[in-house]
Structures are given as C-alpha cells and as structure tokens.
Amino acid sequence: MASLEGIVKLGTNRYNIRVRATCPRTGRRKEVERVRECTLTEARALQRQWRDEMSESLRSGEKAPRLRLRDFVTAWLDGRKEKIKRTTALKIADVWDGHIATAVIADLYVDEITLEDVERWIAALRAKTYIPGKGNTSKRKTRSKRSEPRHYSSGTIKGYYRVLAQILKAACARARVANPCDGVEPLAAGKRRKNFLALDEVGNVLAHVEKHSPAWYPAVLLDVVSGLRWGELSALRWDDIDEAEGVIRVRRGNDKGRVVDSTKTGDDEDEPKIVPLLPQVAEVLSARRKQMVADQHPGLAEGWIFPTEKGTLHKGSPLRDVLDAACADCKTKRRITTHGLRHTANDLLRRVADGEVVRAIIGHSTPQMTHHYSHVDETEKRTAATRAFAVVIGGKGGNTGGTNDNEAASSSSSDVKNPALLRG
C-alpha cells in the first residue's frame, strides 16, 4: 500500500488518514487516525483541516484535570509555607485537619462544590460540640464541672469559615469556576469580649504592676505605649533601642521560643517596623538594663530585653498572671490579656492621631483592622455630642470653647496616677 505523509491508501478511493500535532506551550502531542472514502486530493485536504483544528484545540488549552478539594489543599498549603507567618500557616492547617478535611465537602470536585454544600458545612459546624480543656495541648486527664460539651461560638465558626472561604477562592480561581462562597450570607461574629483598658484604668494598672511586679513593669509599660504584639515585644534586643533617634526598630518576632526574622506586617524584610521611643520609656528601659548588668543576667549574652531566667525566649506569655492580678486589684471588671494592651495602645493613639499614623505605629495593614481595635467610650460620645449640638442647646451644660475632644477626655482622668507617663 502507498504511504504519503500520514496518508495510507487502503484501496480504490479509500485512505487511512493520520494527523499529529504538538501544543507550542506545553509540548503535549495529540494524534488522530481515521479512514475515509475519498480521492487522494480530498484526503490531503482533510488532513490539513484536521491538523489545523487539532492545533487550535491544543493552543486554546484543554481543561485542566479535575481536582478534589482535598488534593488541591495539599499542594496549596505547601506553596504558602514560605509566604505567610508560620503560626498563621499552622492555624490554617489545624482548621483544615479538624473541621474541613473530615467533612463531605473535602472530597468533592472543586467545580462541583455549590452554595448549598458550603451552607451544609456551616450548619454541621454549628451542630458540632466540643469539651473545653480536653484538647491535645491541655494534657488534662480528668474533667472539671465546667468541661461539659458545648457548641462553638459565632466568632469561632466565622473564623473557621474564613479559612474555607480562603481555600475555595484559590481553588476556584485555579479551576476557573465561580466561587460558591460569593452567595453565602455574612456570618455574625457574636459579641466582642472587651479586652482593653479604658483611659481612666491605664495609669492604675501601670502603678499596680510597678509596685507588685517591678520586673515586668518595663514590658507592660512598653506594650501600652507601643502596641507591639507579644511576639515582637519578647523578641526585642538592646540594639533595637535607639535613644539618639528616639525610636525602636522591630526586626523580628518570637514564635513559641523560636526566632522569626520578620514581623507579621513587615512588607520589606530589609526595613524594620519603627515605633517611637518616649523619653519616659527610655528611662525605664535604661534602669532595667543596669539591673540586668548588675545581676549578670544570662539573657545579656544574646542581647534580649525580656528573656526568661535562663536567658532564652519565652514560649508563652508570662504577663498573664501579672495583668490578672493588676486588673483584679484595680477592679477593671474584665480580664485583660497581653493582646489587650495592643488594643489599648491603638485606642489611645486613635484619639489624637490620624488613621495612617496609628496604622504605622501599631502595624495594621487596613483601616478596617484599626477600626476593629477601636473602642469609643462614653466620655468621647458625651464630648462629641456636647460640641456638635452646642448651637442647638445654647451651650448649656457643656463646653463650647476651644477645648478639643482629646483635652476633654484627658481632663476626665486627671485624678489617675500614672507614674511612668507623669514622670519628668
């Protein structure tokens, strides 16, 4: 039988036509072989036509292999390890392992996941219960009276959903399909627990810490006036303090006793986050350094400002008991954590500075986060209302002069003793 460039004559006006093409972008090859009753001229024309059609099909790209959500997440998490903070990556992995991978939605193809599938996952999460204190990290072997099964809070469910939504957004973009989360009604976060010190409480708490926990007073004071995260505060070295420039350069973080060579909001690894160093704080830090030198503290070898007694980084926050005792003695009526001091700094700065300035000091990336950390109290509301409606009420019972909101708010707490901020 005669053969010509993929055309094989099988008989009179009967040809076997073979067509091959290679995708110029991927190098993938495709081949088609067909038998037709035609003349040789017609066979050649069909071969050219099929080759053009095949090349166009390869050039436009075939659909990517379908992926189940579980298979996508494995590669997605591996690719993000070096792009996000380690603790953030661990939290995402924990939510996936504990609350998504165990659900039906994890085994669905990405292009088959619907709005109803997401809503069913949320409903199942709301129905789940857990026993407080019985996790792997607690090491508890017996139940307490409070360790009865309970449902997840609205805020916890919203946090878990954010992880699923983030995963689905990336998966759907990869598969070029609509994101089912676009139709989900916004989830309520529930009531926010007050975790900040009011203006008239800051000085009293600082005074208590200075008197009863003097070793931790510099850390609490610095946290209140800088708003540093505990991971940033506990990883400060003495060479980060620049008294001549009046700044603190935050270059690293502390992840459970492990040094992280960047901060959470650091956009440029070569540029540290800069926060102001107030003279009163510099004086307190200087006194701490002199005491560490006098005691020949082991932490001086690495230059840590707030190390453990062995001179290493803290794996947790030792300020919890310090703050609990201060809040109880000062009757704040609520528990304040180390992160609550960050809320406090944000709130005090917001009263006197522009939002951009607040974000630059605190380290927020969006105005929404700065707003989330803000807590407007009754004094601010009353002062604003008095000034706004002074014309309507004729200035009765209020200040219509030149005193601004910040001065009015400050004057309401003039009886608060703040030894560090009033010193000098």
Side-chain angles (χ1 to χ4, degrees):
M1 297 292 178
S3 177
L4 181 64
E5 297 178 359
I7 299 177
V8 179
K9 186 175 182 179
L10 303 179
T12 304
N13 290 337
R14 183 180 175 80
Y15 293 91
N16 182 82
I17 308 170
R18 187 175 69 247
V19 179
R20 293 174 179 171
T22 303
C23 176
R25 298 182 64 191
T26 65
R28 289 164 49 193
R29 300 189 62 172
K30 188 173 183 179
E31 180 177 317
V32 172
E33 194 170 334
R34 300 168 182 165
V35 176
R36 289 291 185 271
E37 300 284 344
C38 59
T39 65
L40 178 59
T41 301
E42 291 172 337
R44 287 174 172 172
L46 284 172
Q47 187 185 50
R48 287 193 296 270
Q49 176 187 336
W50 294 342
R51 183 181 290 116
D52 291 343
E53 290 175 352
M54 190 182 301
S55 297
E56 181 60 31
S57 173
L58 288 170
R59 192 176 296 111
S60 61
E62 299 178 349
K63 285 187 176 181
R66 299 177 76 196
L67 278 179
R68 298 182 192 277
L69 186 62
R70 183 185 306 280
D71 299 327
F72 168 80
V73 169
T74 301
W76 181 74
L77 285 175
D78 287 341
R80 288 177 62 82
K81 283 182 179 178
E82 303 301 325
K83 298 180 181 179
I84 58 178
K85 193 178 179 183
R86 177 174 174 270
T87 51
T88 302
L90 289 175
K91 287 178 182 178
I92 293 175
D94 286 344
V95 174
W96 167 260
D97 291 338
H99 305 285
I100 306 176
T102 56
V104 174
I105 197 171
D107 291 314
L108 298 179
Y109 286 110
V110 173
D111 58 346
E112 291 290 341
I113 298 176
T114 65
L115 169 62
E116 289 72 23
D117 293 319
V118 177
E119 290 178 335
R120 277 193 289 270
W121 176 82
I122 295 173
L125 192 59
R126 285 175 173 152
K128 286 177 66 174
T129 59
Y130 72 101
I131 299 177
K134 297 295 286 186
N136 293 330
T137 58
S138 68
K139 307 299 182 184
R140 288 174 57 182
K141 298 180 180 180
T142 59
R143 283 194 192 182
S144 68
K145 294 181 179 179
R146 297 181 181 179
S147 296
E148 295 301 324
R150 66 177 65 173
H151 292 282
Y152 291 107
S153 68
S154 299
T156 298
I157 293 174
K158 184 174 183 179
Y160 292 167
Y161 168 72
R162 283 176 177 170
V163 174
L164 176 65
Q166 185 179 8
I167 292 171
L168 281 177
K169 181 179 179 180
C172 291
R174 179 77 58 85
R176 298 181 181 180
V177 296
N179 186 352
C181 291
D182 291 342
V184 176
E185 292 291 331
L187 273 63
K191 294 182 179 180
R192 291 170 58 189
R193 185 179 74 86
K194 292 183 178 181
N195 187 15
F196 69 99
L197 292 171
L199 183 62
D200 58 352
E201 297 172 333
V202 177
N204 294 330
V205 168
L206 284 173
H208 182 280
V209 173
E210 184 178 31
K211 180 178 179 180
H212 298 280
S213 304
W216 287 113
Y217 175 67
V220 175
L221 174 63
L222 179 55
D223 212 0
V224 167
V225 301
S226 68
L228 290 177
R229 302 176 180 89
W230 169 249
E232 298 168 341
L233 182 74
S234 60
L236 286 176
R237 285 191 169 104
W238 288 109
D239 57 9
D240 297 325
I241 308 297
D242 189 338
E243 291 193 45
E245 294 289 336
V247 298
I248 301 174
R249 294 181 172 85
V250 186
R251 298 183 172 93
R252 70 196 71 79
N254 170 16
D255 177 17
K256 298 179 181 179
R258 171 178 169 269
V259 176
V260 180
D261 292 328
S262 64
T263 62
K264 184 176 180 181
T265 51
D267 296 327
D268 189 338
E269 294 183 357
D270 296 329
E271 293 294 331
K273 182 172 77 173
I274 306 296
V275 296
L277 174 64
L278 301 182
Q280 297 90 338
V281 178
E283 180 184 342
V284 173
L285 289 176
S286 178
R288 174 173 176 76
R289 180 172 174 78
K290 290 179 181 178
Q291 186 62 51
M292 290 181 70
V293 172
D295 297 339
Q296 284 300 290
H297 197 291
L300 290 172
E302 293 291 332
W304 302 123
I305 300 179
F306 304 112
T308 65
E309 292 182 357
K310 296 181 180 180
T312 59
L313 290 178
H314 290 274
K315 293 184 178 180
S317 173
L319 296 183
R320 175 173 296 180
D321 293 339
V322 173
L323 292 174
D324 283 349
C327 290
D329 187 70
C330 298
K331 297 180 175 55
T332 62
K333 298 182 181 180
R334 58 187 178 277
R335 178 172 173 266
I336 305 301
T337 67
T338 308
H339 197 68
L341 300 182
R342 179 170 167 79
H343 276 258
T344 302
N346 179 96
D347 202 46
L348 297 179
L349 285 168
R350 172 192 59 79
R351 301 173 186 231
V352 298
D354 177 78
E356 290 296 325
V357 175
V358 176
R359 285 190 289 280
I361 296 175
I362 299 297
H364 288 153
S365 56
T366 64
Q368 290 78 11
M369 185 56 68
T370 302
H371 172 73
H372 176 75
Y373 275 58
S374 300
H375 309 274
V376 179
D377 62 17
E378 296 306 316
T379 300
E380 283 190 274
K381 294 178 184 178
R382 188 180 303 107
T383 301
T386 300
R387 296 187 65 195
F389 305 118
V391 176
V392 177
I393 63 177
K396 295 180 180 179
N399 172 29
T400 59
T403 304
N404 60 31
D405 294 353
N406 301 319
E407 291 171 344
S410 300
S411 63
S412 65
S413 304
S414 58
D415 59 330
V416 178
K417 297 180 181 179
N418 189 336
L421 302 183
L422 295 179
R423 187 179 293 131

